[in-house]
Amino acid sequence: MFAEWAPYRLDFRFLARTSRDSMRVKDTYFIRLIDNENNRVGLGECALFKGLSKEDSPQYESELISSCRNPVFENMNSSIRFGFESALYDMGDLEDNDFTRGEAGIPINGLIWMGDKYTMLQRIDEKLKGGFHVLKLKIGGIDFDQELELLGYIRRRFFADELQLRLDANGSFKADDALNRLETLSKYHIHSIEQPIKPMQWEAMSRICRESPIPIALDEELIGVHSQCEVSEMLSTLSPQYIILKPSLCGGLSGADRWIDEAEKRGIGWWATSALESNIGLEAIARWLVRRCGTANLELPQGLGTGQLYHNNTPSPLELRGDRLYFNPDKTHKIPELEWQR
């Protein structure tokens, strides 16, 4: 068996804005495991998230080459480990369950990217017409009063028992003003808010998790925290209501399993979401979720609705139908011609 890799650039259909930056493209890496003896091939994605991953450095490709030549999982960073784990799963037989048979889908939230007020209103209307019952809005990129107007627009049309609202602040609030903003936002019956302040402010975040009128979901806070001891310490210290799992950023699929195990010991809820992977990585996360929980036990909608973000995403068995992600067993992945390297 040997491994090889190839870079790939994903092109957004629009200018993707967060409170941190704006993106036109997303660079990623595909990995291919080839077992000539058993005539098997596995495809995975090392989904480096530039500007956010702790491992974003000029040495990344050198680390990828080293991992392909000598794959020791314990020495791999998050995204490379995710790539190898997803490729190994892909190399095996397709698991038989109601998801892979195309009989059941994974509930997902509708993601509303930042833009000006009118662009966001248009995107909100598109998701509502598409049948979504949970919307996730990225906030912190436009005037706060305009964001409140958007939330008011939604709540005038739909009560909380009709439509669930999640917010993602991407760390845009200041620690000394976060609780005031959360109090204002709570009037719109918000399900949860991700990462209200920047990570690594444990004293402030612990207080926010205790006192916020809106349940707190930690996201960026998980990046770079991998060992059992570190995971346990963070969850015990901060005690969030939820954690958001991006396997590419939090230790691969096995690292995400560790986070879930520790969270469930403490009664902390969770859901998984994409780190803007292509359909290769997105399918790996979806199949991992169903293997772990089964579709019937995925009570919270997941953040896996990112497959339509790109002009040149890889065709795959994944299909978005309303507010659920399905797997069509009659379809296969189609990868463009790539220059594979070892």
Side-chain angles (χ1 to χ4, degrees):
M1 185 186 295
F2 63 91
E4 53 189 15
W5 62 278
Y8 191 66
R9 171 163 286 185
L10 294 156
D11 297 316
F12 279 94
R13 294 181 182 275
F14 54 89
L15 179 65
R17 288 176 53 191
T18 73
S19 59
R20 289 188 303 266
D21 54 21
S22 300
M23 297 172 285
R24 288 285 188 189
V25 299
K26 166 71 165 59
D27 290 317
T28 192
Y29 296 87
F30 294 138
I31 186 168
R32 187 163 64 178
L33 301 183
I34 300 174
D35 182 355
N36 286 325
E37 183 176 340
N38 296 297
N39 194 29
R40 286 181 177 267
V41 176
L43 189 65
E45 181 175 2
C46 301
L48 174 67
F49 199 132
K50 291 185 176 180
L52 185 59
S53 298
K54 294 287 186 182
E55 58 222 38
D56 181 14
S57 75
Q59 289 75 45
Y60 185 83
E61 289 190 1
S62 297
E63 294 175 12
L64 184 54
I65 293 169
S66 177
S67 295
C68 286
R69 293 174 178 174
N70 183 28
V72 180
F73 276 33
E74 290 74 13
N75 297 336
M76 294 179 184
N77 61 39
S78 283
S79 61
I80 294 176
R81 185 166 186 160
F82 172 70
F84 271 82
E85 290 174 333
S86 55
L88 284 171
Y89 278 126
D90 186 58
M91 180 177 281
D93 294 330
L94 184 68
E95 55 271 21
D96 182 24
N97 54 52
D98 57 2
F99 178 69
T100 58
R101 292 193 298 269
E103 299 168 357
I106 297 172
I108 61 172
N109 59 233
L111 178 59
I112 309 298
W113 282 86
M114 286 180 181
D116 60 50
K117 176 183 174 182
Y118 299 102
T119 299
M120 292 184 73
L121 279 172
Q122 181 181 10
R123 291 171 179 169
I124 289 167
D125 280 334
E126 288 173 356
K127 293 297 182 184
L128 295 176
K129 290 176 183 176
F132 281 89
H133 298 91
V134 180
L135 293 186
K136 173 182 168 180
L137 279 71
K138 288 184 174 291
I139 64 172
I142 62 175
D143 180 74
F144 187 60
D145 288 335
Q146 290 190 2
E147 291 172 338
L148 296 179
E149 289 177 20
L150 286 170
L151 296 174
Y153 168 78
I154 297 172
R155 279 292 171 245
R156 284 192 296 273
R157 296 179 62 189
F158 298 93
F159 293 114
D161 59 351
E162 297 175 294
L163 179 70
Q164 185 184 103
L165 288 177
R166 296 173 175 175
L167 302 179
D168 184 0
N170 284 128
S172 62
F173 296 168
K174 295 180 180 179
D176 58 1
D177 189 43
L179 285 171
N180 289 331
R181 294 210 165 193
L182 292 168
E183 183 66 39
T184 301
L185 290 167
S186 69
K187 299 172 185 177
Y188 299 94
H189 306 287
I190 306 302
H191 170 270
S192 56
I193 183 167
E194 296 180 32
Q195 203 66 44
I197 64 173
K198 287 182 172 57
M200 302 304 294
Q201 302 180 80
W202 280 21
E203 183 176 352
M205 184 64 85
S206 177
R207 179 177 173 230
I208 290 169
C209 289
R210 287 195 314 270
E211 300 180 13
S212 171
I214 299 174
I216 301 299
L218 298 185
D219 181 1
E220 288 91 341
E221 201 77 58
L222 279 57
I223 299 173
V225 180
H226 299 314
S227 73
Q228 190 83 26
C229 180
E230 291 174 323
V231 170
S232 296
E233 182 184 8
M234 174 180 286
L235 294 180
S236 295
T237 301
L238 301 184
S239 296
Q241 286 73 38
Y242 300 100
I243 57 172
I244 313 299
L245 298 159
K246 294 183 174 78
S248 294
L249 299 176
C250 63
L253 296 171
S254 54
D257 280 326
R258 182 184 304 116
W259 278 105
I260 292 172
D261 290 341
E262 291 300 316
E264 290 183 340
K265 289 179 186 177
R266 295 163 173 80
I268 296 171
W270 62 272
W271 62 86
T273 187
S274 158
L276 303 184
E277 293 90 353
S278 74
N279 280 332
I280 300 298
L282 197 63
E283 181 187 320
I285 298 172
R287 287 172 56 186
W288 160 74
L289 274 172
V290 176
R291 280 194 304 271
R292 181 177 176 103
C293 302
T295 54
N297 296 318
L298 288 171
E299 298 177 0
L300 293 172
Q302 309 294 303
L304 303 182
T306 56
Q308 297 176 318
L309 290 177
Y310 306 112
H311 286 292
N312 59 339
N313 206 342
T314 54
S316 84
L318 297 179
E319 294 180 350
L320 189 59
R321 305 176 202 165
D323 64 350
R324 288 182 179 263
L325 185 70
Y326 281 83
F327 183 95
N328 186 337
D330 295 327
K331 292 184 177 181
T332 59
H333 284 290
K334 294 181 181 178
I335 303 300
E337 291 294 324
L338 299 172
E339 294 185 9
W340 293 98
Q341 305 174 48
R342 297 184 191 175

